[in-house]
Amino acid sequence: MFTGRLRSEIPPALISLGEGLITAGAQLVELDLSDNAFGPDGVRGFEALLKSSACFTLHELKLNNCGMGIGGGKILAAALTECHRKSSAQGKPLALKVFVAGRNRLENDGVTALAEAFGIIGTLEEVHMPQNGINHPGVTALAQAFAINPLLRIINLNDNTFTEKGAVAMAQTLKTLRQVEVINFGDCLVRSKGAVAIADAVRGGLPKLKELNLSFCEIKRDAALAVAEAVADKAELEKLDLNGNILGEEGCEQLQEVLDGFSMATVLASLSDDEGDEEEEEDEDDDEGEEEEEEDDEEDEEDEEEEEEEPQPRGEGSPTPPRSILDSDSGTDTSDPEKVVSAFLKVSSVFKDEATVRTAVQDAVDALMKKAFGSSSFNANAFLTSLLIHMGLLKSEDKIKAIANLYGPLMALNHMVQQDYFPKALAPLLLAFVTKPNGALESCSFARHSLLQTLHKV
């Protein structure tokens, strides 16, 4: 709805929608604003609706892929808390059952605020919050909130970063929950110690468990076998996903044998992406010990700084620190469009909304692109064409693999096109390709929307 609109247009539109529903005397059961790029400002736009009597009856709130960010998460949490307070005063407390807010960059601060609201509400049955940049402090806050939501049936935190600390905290909560049917902690880097803690929770409870996803979590063979043994008495189990871990061929066979022994072989998902049993570059225990020491040292620092130190999911290891990437590209040959594209993508890949990182990336982009565009021999059209190909927005006869995440490049472009050094003649071409439907762009709707707004002004 809001793609191509100015940011200032969005809150009034949402306010009008809310006022109409309130005036009509609506009693909403479900509110779904998913896949609209309204960002933190947009949450302000429907804040009044959430606090009104129209939402006292709300059972399902779906805000998937809206670019809310930390600020939006805090505003949303406060609105839900106020809704619960006001509805309770009328004798019918808000009884929210389903909360969906995947892909919103909520991070630790946003999630911690929402966890406080969840703890007050206490009636949740489904929570879906994948891909939010949550680390162990945020996971721990959610675990504490889930413990006082005894009706929880589905927990989906896919593609966040638990590490052992977060996994242990969540396992403690799982021991207390009796209604859980689906647990999706895939791509959450729970690692072996975290998996063992979760296995212990499964063994001691969760009688209604139907699905357990611990795929791509850097779990080794013995821990994976512990998980398999823990599901022996789960009569309702339909799927156990341990794909993409570090089992090796022998470990995969042993896993199958364990489940065969329980007559549960059919519940095991494919292991086709197993990472093998090769020794990791660093010993896991040492790695985790170092990580915990780092986290203890950083407790007084901002959450965003802490998150930079966290390992990433999918077994990619720790990201290269932004500063070292920025410094490494200071000597790029700016006469070669391909080398400039490579440097631009490398620099923009470390973009974060945290102020110091954002500024460092923007400064590096300025230094690189000002020099490139300022050269009379630089082919700006060739640069943009190559960039669009590498971003997967333009097809090429050469087989070039597009980058996986466009958020950083889009935010870097949003900055670049506003600068004096950027050739304004390139804006219409860039606008045309960013406007076209594209799945990769849809997964970064907030960044895409911001760039479109800027390009319309250029």
Side-chain angles (χ1 to χ4, degrees), residues 5 52 55 57 59 69 77 86 131 138 151 173 177 183 210 223 245 262 265 280 282 287 306 325 364 380 409 448 457:
R5 298 287 183 181
S52 75
C55 286
T57 50
H59 285 169
K86 291 168 72 174
Q131 292 184 349
L151 301 178
T173 286
L177 298 175
I183 297 171
K210 292 181 179 179
N245 286 300
F262 308 143
E280 294 177 296
E282 293 180 289
D287 188 45
E306 186 177 59
I325 285 183
R448 177 193 197 185
K457 299 174 191 174

Side-chain angles (χ1 to χ4, degrees), residues 344 383-385 387-388 391 393 409-410 412-414 416-417 422-436 441 451-452 455 458:
F344 177 86
F383 162 78
L384 185 56
T385 299
L387 181 61
L388 290 170
M391 291 176 68
L393 307 182
L410 288 171
L413 279 170
N414 186 40
M416 183 180 78
V417 300
F422 178 72
K424 299 301 183 278
L426 296 181
L429 180 61
L430 183 57
L431 178 63
F433 281 94
V434 178
T435 304
K436 286 171 65 176
L441 287 173
L451 178 56
L452 285 171
L455 287 170
V458 172

Side-chain angles (χ1 to χ4, degrees), residues 153-321:
R153 292 184 301 106
I154 299 175
I155 304 173
N156 177 6
L157 296 176
N158 188 285
D159 203 0
N160 289 293
T161 308
F162 281 42
T163 64
E164 181 193 340
K165 282 188 175 182
V168 169
M170 191 60 71
Q172 286 298 113
T173 286
L174 292 176
K175 289 181 179 180
T176 68
L177 298 175
R178 307 295 294 174
Q179 305 301 319
V180 172
E181 297 174 4
V182 177
I183 297 171
N184 186 346
F185 296 159
D187 269 344
C188 283
L189 204 68
V190 303
R191 287 184 166 157
S192 295
K193 289 184 179 179
V196 169
I198 291 170
D200 187 45
V202 171
R203 186 181 298 105
L206 302 172
K208 297 184 179 181
L209 189 64
K210 292 181 179 179
E211 181 175 332
L212 175 60
N213 184 346
L214 293 175
S215 60
F216 299 93
C217 281
E218 290 193 5
I219 300 170
K220 292 184 179 180
R221 181 180 60 184
D222 290 349
L225 293 174
V227 173
E229 290 164 357
V231 302
D233 64 342
K234 304 303 173 229
E236 297 184 35
L237 191 70
E238 298 170 0
K239 183 177 181 181
L240 173 62
D241 194 345
L242 289 166
N243 196 19
N245 286 300
I246 312 168
L247 311 183
E249 185 176 345
E250 184 179 342
C252 290
E253 291 174 358
Q254 289 178 331
L255 194 62
Q256 191 74 51
E257 289 171 5
V258 168
L259 291 167
D260 277 340
F262 308 143
S263 300
M264 298 177 72
T266 57
V267 306
L268 185 62
S270 168
L271 298 172
S272 59
D273 293 318
D274 185 69
E275 296 288 339
D277 57 0
E278 294 178 1
E279 287 296 318
E280 294 177 296
E281 291 181 9
E282 293 180 289
D283 181 79
E284 180 183 315
D285 292 337
D286 291 344
D287 188 45
E288 289 184 352
E290 289 169 11
E291 176 191 319
E292 288 177 11
E293 288 174 15
E294 288 172 5
E295 287 165 351
D296 290 339
D297 291 341
E298 291 167 354
E299 282 179 357
D300 295 330
E301 298 179 14
E302 293 182 355
D303 284 343
E304 288 85 356
E305 292 175 349
E306 186 177 59
E307 288 164 22
E308 285 177 22
E309 298 299 322
E310 290 283 0
Q312 298 299 306
R314 299 194 185 88
E316 293 172 357
S318 299
T320 306

Side-chain angles (χ1 to χ4, degrees), residues 106-116 129 132 134 138-139 141-142:
L106 294 169
E107 301 184 21
N108 288 339
D109 283 356
V111 162
T112 299
L114 284 165
E116 291 179 11
M129 302 178 79
N132 270 296
I134 310 169
V139 174
L142 285 175

